[in-house]
Amino acid sequence: MRPTVHDIAANAGVSLATVDRVLNGRPGVRAVTRARVEAAIRKLGFVRDVAAANLAKGRVYPLTFIVPHGENPFMRGLEREVLDAVDRSSFERTRISIVNVPPFNAGALVTAIDAAIADGVAGVAAVAVDAPEVAAAIARANTAGIPFVTLVSDLAASQRDHFCGVDNVAAGRTAGSLMARVLGTRTGPVAVLAGSMLVRDHRERLEGFRAVMAEAGGGRPVLDVLEGQDDPKLAGTLIAKCLKGNPDLVGIYSLGAGNGGLVAALAAAGRDNLCVIAHELTAPTRAGLESGLIDAVLNQDAGHEVRSAIRILRAKADGLPVVEAQERIRIDIFIRENLPPEGGEAGLSQPGEA
């Protein structure tokens, strides 16, 4: 039988109220009495069920999600999933707030993280920018005992507790494999459209893509990365210029956002003979698939990522283990023939994940 607080009280010769004060680190207990209670805890092998204790006390978990603002449709879908979680918060015992920061802006992200630390939240989830000052801010959260989860783009070398997102190197390799299969024996250069090389997910996707292009791409050169800042106007301008300057172009890999501009540039140039692989099933990429201007879209489930982040932050706050299999985010591949019903882009269902 597992020892209880009653056993501790009897063994230490104190009241249940005194045991409760020691377990919860509250004042009002003499040092000698506290030592006696702690000795009884060790002797009996008592392990506290933190989650049950928090449930009994009706603990509410204040969580902060930090999401870039702007026109990126995937980020807006991610934000909608967080808002859905806010609606569920009353019975999930969470109090969720959303903070928007400029995309790819490390300073703004650091300010938002430090504000969450100052507020004493129970956990933070953020789309990370790969910068030393961001890693330092995450370390400050760690020192304050605040669990930290990175969303979509990781910062693996930091002191974050968990990453909720796909394996982005594998995603890039998948894109490269799809492009090599579609192009077959066709030769010519391939363009890459990114948001910014300041985020690790874009760099990792590029790494995986380039590796497969070198291995199985028939020696096709990969052109210098076009950084569209996830802005559809800038992305469209860059792609239009690339198409004009490279008439022998055979493929485009869009590993970020700004795909509305990509589709518009392809349509204006009348280039439907390219292999185009993009990320995230949003309104622009769906339109590209339906029109035949995009061949395939690699997608991650924003809803799963948000729900996963909440589960992990609560588990970390309670000192409980994370169920790794439940929190693994998979890569879905969509082509025109297997598109889900319109409007289901933001939170596609995941088998085995509640």
Side-chain angles (χ1 to χ4, degrees):
M1 240 179 111
R2 291 177 60 183
T4 67
V5 289
H6 296 274
D7 298 323
I8 296 171
N11 191 278
V14 299
S15 68
L16 286 173
T18 299
V19 174
D20 182 71
R21 288 192 188 96
V22 173
L23 287 173
N24 289 286
R26 289 196 290 269
V29 182
R30 292 187 303 158
V32 63
T33 304
R34 185 179 298 276
R36 201 159 68 243
V37 172
E38 290 172 346
I41 290 170
R42 289 192 298 272
K43 177 182 175 182
L44 296 170
F46 176 81
V47 178
R48 191 181 186 202
D49 189 339
V50 179
N54 284 336
L55 180 62
K57 291 186 293 185
R59 180 186 179 185
V60 174
Y61 301 77
L63 307 177
T64 295
F65 279 75
I66 307 173
V67 181
H69 64 59
E71 295 186 52
N72 185 330
F74 178 77
M75 291 302 171
R76 302 288 63 78
L78 185 76
E79 187 170 17
R80 286 195 298 274
E81 293 295 340
V82 179
L83 289 171
D84 285 347
V86 171
D87 292 339
R88 300 191 302 268
S89 61
S90 59
F91 58 87
E92 288 186 343
R93 295 185 298 116
T94 55
R95 187 172 68 250
I96 297 171
S97 60
I98 303 173
V99 177
N100 290 119
V101 295
F104 315 122
N105 189 318
L109 178 56
V110 168
T111 299
I113 294 170
D114 285 335
I117 295 170
D119 287 342
V121 299
V124 178
V127 179
V129 176
D130 193 356
E133 57 266 39
V134 175
I138 294 173
R140 289 193 289 275
N142 182 272
T143 299
I146 297 173
F148 198 103
V149 167
T150 50
L151 284 168
V152 185
S153 185
D154 196 14
L155 205 52
S158 71
Q159 295 181 45
R160 57 89 169 135
D161 291 275
H162 200 89
F163 169 54
C164 294
V166 298
D167 181 333
N168 283 296
V169 174
R173 291 188 63 88
T174 302
S177 178
L178 287 170
M179 184 163 290
R181 289 169 182 265
V182 171
L183 290 177
T185 58
R186 291 177 59 196
T187 59
V190 173
V192 175
L193 175 65
S196 170
M197 291 294 100
L198 291 176
V199 288
R200 185 176 292 271
D201 60 327
H202 289 196
R203 295 207 307 274
E204 289 179 342
R205 290 173 187 178
L206 178 62
E207 174 192 336
F209 181 76
R210 278 181 167 161
V212 173
M213 282 290 100
E215 296 162 6
R220 298 181 190 89
V222 177
L223 302 178
D224 291 341
V225 177
L226 305 171
E227 293 188 64
Q229 302 300 313
D230 286 349
D231 179 280
K233 291 181 180 178
L234 178 56
T237 300
L238 292 172
I239 290 297
K241 184 178 179 180
C242 179
L243 291 171
K244 186 175 180 180
N246 298 275
D248 57 341
L249 195 73
V250 294
I252 298 174
Y253 175 37
S254 176
L255 53 79
N259 289 305
L262 165 68
V263 172
L266 291 171
R271 293 295 301 270
D272 58 359
N273 61 334
L274 300 172
C275 174
V276 180
I277 311 293
H279 276 264
E280 316 315 344
L281 187 60
T282 61
T285 55
R286 173 183 285 274
L289 284 172
E290 290 174 341
S291 65
L293 291 171
I294 293 179
D295 293 271
V297 171
L298 308 183
N299 189 72
Q300 57 188 315
D301 186 343
H304 187 182
E305 289 172 349
V306 169
R307 294 187 295 273
S308 178
I310 293 169
R311 283 193 296 266
I312 290 164
L313 290 173
R314 286 180 52 179
K316 292 292 182 181
D318 282 339
L320 298 175
V322 172
V323 182
E324 294 289 345
Q326 186 180 27
E327 312 310 345
R328 188 176 297 112
I329 313 297
R330 75 183 188 192
I331 302 167
D332 290 310
I333 302 173
F334 291 105
I335 58 176
R336 182 163 51 183
E337 286 72 21
N338 73 335
L339 278 172
E342 194 162 3
E345 289 86 358
L348 301 169
S349 62
Q350 292 286 338
E353 185 271 328

